[in-house]
Every structure is written in C-alpha cells, then in structure tokens.
Amino acid sequence: VLSHTSGLPDIDLVPLIKRAPSFRTLLATVHAAEPLTDPGSRYAYASDSFMLLAEVLAARSGRPFADALRHRLLGPLGM
C-alpha cells in the first residue's frame, strides 16, 4: 500500500470518512473498486492508501489513529 503498487485505484474516501462509516464500509468500497493493475506490477500513486492504512492501524490497535500514533510511535520517540 505505501509503495503505491497495490493496484488499488485512487478512490476519494474523504466523503465517506466525513459521514463516519464503519471500517467495514470503507473496506467494502475499496473492495468493490476495479483494480488498476495486478498488485506489485506497477507504481500508481493513490492518496487514499494512506487513509486506508490509518483505518487498518486504528482497527488493529483498537484506538483512534491519532491515539495509536501517539502511543506507539510519537510517545516512545519523545515527540
């Protein structure tokens, strides 16, 4: 996802996030989109990949992304 070779199209997830959908809704939206390429075959920048990754980290940690970031990265670095 962060190397922009996932094959995911650049979907504007911001309107969905503003309506506060569930993580499953975001995943369903991404899953329903037609891939641009096979994963790993081509670079294609997609800014929503960062939002998707943030949602994955939040879901995995059980905390909002900002809290997880502070707890797991920024706090230990003294930032």
Side-chain angles (χ1 to χ4, degrees), residues 4-34:
H4 300 290
T5 58
S6 67
L8 295 173
D10 194 13
I11 303 167
D12 185 8
L13 295 176
V14 172
L16 277 176
I17 292 171
K18 285 183 177 179
R19 290 195 315 255
S22 68
F23 179 61
R24 288 180 190 264
T25 301
L26 291 174
L27 284 180
T29 301
V30 172
H31 187 263
E34 188 70 28

Side-chain angles (χ1 to χ4, degrees), residues 11-79:
I11 303 167
D12 185 8
L13 295 176
V14 172
L16 277 176
I17 292 171
K18 285 183 177 179
R19 290 195 315 255
S22 68
F23 179 61
R24 288 180 190 264
T25 301
L26 291 174
L27 284 180
T29 301
V30 172
H31 187 263
E34 188 70 28
L36 295 175
T37 63
D38 290 333
S41 66
R42 185 173 75 106
Y43 174 88
Y45 182 81
S47 60
D48 57 310
S49 294
F50 293 104
M51 287 187 283
L52 183 60
L53 181 61
E55 292 298 321
V56 168
L57 293 173
R60 180 72 174 103
S61 71
R63 301 169 181 233
F65 175 69
D67 292 347
L69 186 64
R70 258 191 307 278
H71 177 74
R72 302 288 293 179
L73 181 68
L74 301 176
L77 291 174
M79 299 175 77

